[in-house]
Amino acid sequence: MNGAREIHHGVEFENPIGTPVLAAAGGTVVFAGEDSGGELAPWPNFYGQAVVIEHHPAGWEQPLFTLYAHLSEVRVVEGETVQAGEVVGAVGMSGSADGPHLHFEVRAGENAYANSRNPELWLTPQEGCGSLAGRLAAPSGQGIPALAVTLLPLDSESPPIYLQTYEAGEALSTESLRENLAIWNLPAGRYQVEFVAGGLHRLEVAIRPGERTFFSWPQETSP
Ligand SMILES: [Zn+2]
């Protein structure tokens, strides 16, 4: 919210109350119930009824966690093992929510608020779609936060997509990328990235199905 509020740590999936919420991957339930005392966030009753699943993906040294919040119903208990696609609860608006939706988070290493990563980079794009991650930095190398970025599809008549950067290298960035901009599920094709930083800049990126495209500005040059 233009720097006035702390950055949002998850992705919202708007759905009617009672819509089943499915586990994103297999794992062990490490939290199931009311976040009344602020067990999952710095504020009490922020996530309402919530579920957290711990995952150990092959090739990863540290655990990953997925968090499902604002549920109307929790259908698993702590310690339970779940498979990908298993129902863990139902969409609601418990806790700090102004309408029925699923708040979905990915946390790396530790189930802590500060360990959230942008979930858009961790979701598999749907068929024919890919994802885009970018890092927009000042000449000092510092990521530029809250920069308005427009994505114009060049191969279709689809409307532009409006994005905003977050702080690179801090909350939400995936360590290996240090991105401060990400979006999944972009239909494959060419896009023009536009933003104003000491003048108008335009870059072209290509999105390929099932792949992630990364761009940086200014272009990082290898020594
Ligand atoms: Zn949310």
Side-chain angles (χ1 to χ4, degrees), residues 43-56:
W43 313 277
N45 201 30
F46 188 62
Y47 290 119
Q49 293 205 77
V51 169
V52 178
I53 305 172
E54 180 172 343
H55 311 279
H56 289 270

Side-chain angles (χ1 to χ4, degrees), residues 8 12 70 101 103:
H8 188 248
E12 321 284 51
H70 308 313
H101 71 278
H103 170 101

Side-chain angles (χ1 to χ4, degrees), residues 124-136:
T124 306
Q126 286 168 325
E127 208 171 329
C129 297
S131 60
L132 177 69
R135 179 179 164 77
L136 297 158

Side-chain angles (χ1 to χ4, degrees), residues 8-21:
H8 188 248
H9 280 206
V11 169
E12 321 284 51
F13 291 92
E14 288 179 34
N15 274 289
I17 297 220
T19 304
V21 170

